Amino acid sequence: MSNLRIAVQKSGRLNEDSMRILKDIGISIDNGIDQLKASARNFPVEVFYLRNGDIPQYLRDGVVDAAIIGENILIEKGNDLAFIERLGFSKCKVSIAVPKESEANSLKDLEGKRIATSYPETVKKFLKEQQIDAKLHTISGSVEIAPNIGLADGICDIVSSGSTLFKNGLKEIEVLLQSEAVLAVSPKISEERSAILKKIQFRIQSVLKGRDSKYVLLNAPNEKLDAILSLLPGMRSPTVLPLAEKGWSSVHTVISKNEFWEIIDGLKENGAEGILVCPIEKMVL
């Protein structure tokens, strides 16, 4: 069986998150410092460590079969390429920002102004859609310094926490898009390697579902059992087991972390006790 070739960012937060999810799905990679390619010990996979901006072309050419890549890069340099899974990590946004002292407070205030960016295609498309005529300066790296040196009136760049904007005296005035890591696929992937990728995708889905859920065990008085069960979701339905103490039952279920606290509040109001919450490593549905 030939190995699936999957690209990840060479360094940075996306690299760390990518290697973490590969580890979580049981793929062991031995990679040394400055190593550009590494093979898994226990799965038919080779990992290529590449510059994020180069990955779309590698996918397009079939040099790699798949990639964990920021959606923002795929939109900028690989909008002809497909992705098969959103991965839920390395979230950021692509935003337009201006100096805090600028009188510009919205996109229309940049009509005829200069915008520095590392995402020219994304910005061009957005400005055209919004019918804004602005001049673009394409630069790579340190985009946020452009207004301070007189190169531009505003910038367009990725924003994660907003701390970089704050440190450089900038304020956000427009969000072009929200981005996260995605699993992209080469149009030239072979049938054999596509089958391997499907196995990886299934494992990733199991890990992501586990990350998004909590396993909950609680004790419920039987007279309140129907009310408590009405609050609870489950993969099919909650599991109910009788306790040694008469009049009480043990209830087991899975709760989405997005609904967690609201449901817990309702459980307590209906007499649930001894609520135990456990993380879920994986969920195979």
Side-chain angles (χ1 to χ4, degrees):
M1 179 181 291
S2 59
N3 288 339
L4 177 80
R5 301 161 300 176
I6 186 168
V8 301
Q9 183 174 293
K10 187 177 180 181
S11 60
R13 184 166 65 95
L14 182 52
N15 168 273
E16 295 169 3
D17 290 339
S18 300
M19 299 312 295
R20 184 178 300 114
I21 199 165
L22 290 177
K23 180 180 178 181
D24 288 347
I25 65 173
I27 296 178
S28 301
I29 306 291
D30 290 325
N31 63 302
I33 297 175
D34 296 328
Q35 191 171 347
L36 298 180
K37 186 175 75 168
S39 298
R41 298 196 306 270
N42 58 346
F43 200 81
V45 165
E46 287 181 309
V47 176
F48 287 64
Y49 302 93
L50 305 172
R51 288 181 64 252
N52 211 24
D54 294 338
I55 291 176
Q57 192 60 49
Y58 279 78
L59 285 167
R60 196 175 286 115
D61 293 341
V63 176
V64 295
D65 305 300
I68 298 176
I69 185 172
E71 186 182 3
N72 56 303
I73 295 296
L74 209 58
I75 290 171
E76 174 66 23
K77 295 189 174 184
N79 57 12
D80 57 320
L81 300 169
F83 67 85
I84 57 174
E85 194 74 40
R86 292 186 177 276
L87 301 178
F89 56 76
S90 295
K91 292 185 177 182
C92 65
K93 52 190 174 180
V94 177
S95 299
I96 291 177
V98 297
K100 288 181 179 178
E101 65 274 11
S102 172
E103 295 181 358
N105 291 301
S106 66
L107 184 63
K108 65 181 181 180
D109 294 328
L110 292 180
E111 178 74 30
K113 303 294 186 180
R114 302 163 299 166
I115 301 174
T117 185
S118 298
Y119 298 91
E121 297 305 317
T122 302
V123 180
K124 281 179 190 175
K125 181 180 178 182
F126 184 78
L127 292 178
K128 184 176 180 180
E129 290 172 350
Q130 301 299 317
Q131 298 182 330
I132 300 295
D133 183 20
K135 300 176 182 177
L136 295 188
H137 286 286
T138 303
I139 57 179
S140 58
S142 302
V143 175
E144 62 277 354
I145 200 175
N148 295 328
I149 61 175
L151 182 63
D153 302 293
I155 68 164
C156 183
D157 201 11
I158 58 170
V159 177
S160 296
S161 65
S163 61
T164 301
L165 294 183
F166 178 79
K167 290 175 183 177
N168 288 275
L170 300 171
K171 62 181 180 181
E172 181 183 82
I173 62 169
E174 187 77 30
V175 177
L176 278 66
L177 59 92
Q178 301 282 348
S179 175
E180 63 183 283
V182 296
L183 181 62
V185 60
S186 168
K188 295 186 178 181
I189 188 172
S190 69
E191 186 174 339
E192 182 180 19
R193 288 171 175 167
S194 182
I196 299 172
L197 182 61
K198 286 180 181 178
K199 291 182 179 180
I200 288 178
Q201 185 182 10
F202 171 75
R203 293 189 184 189
I204 287 175
Q205 289 172 342
S206 299
V207 168
L208 295 180
K209 187 65 176 175
R211 288 180 182 178
D212 193 46
S213 305
K214 300 290 184 183
Y215 190 75
V216 177
L217 301 86
L218 59 93
N219 297 328
N222 287 345
E223 68 267 19
K224 293 289 188 72
L225 195 55
D226 288 341
I228 285 174
L229 293 180
S230 70
L231 297 171
L232 295 174
M235 287 181 285
R236 285 191 181 271
S237 64
T239 300
V240 180
L241 301 171
L243 289 178
E245 182 179 347
K246 289 185 178 180
W248 286 81
S249 295
S250 174
V251 179
H252 301 219
T253 193
V254 174
I255 296 177
S256 167
K257 67 180 183 181
N258 295 325
E259 305 172 300
F260 177 77
W261 287 113
E262 291 79 6
I263 292 176
I264 293 297
D265 289 341
L267 294 174
K268 288 176 64 63
E269 289 171 4
N270 282 279
E273 296 181 2
I275 301 173
L276 179 63
V277 181
C278 304
I280 298 174
E281 186 174 312
K282 300 173 183 69
M283 283 180 63
V284 181
L285 302 178

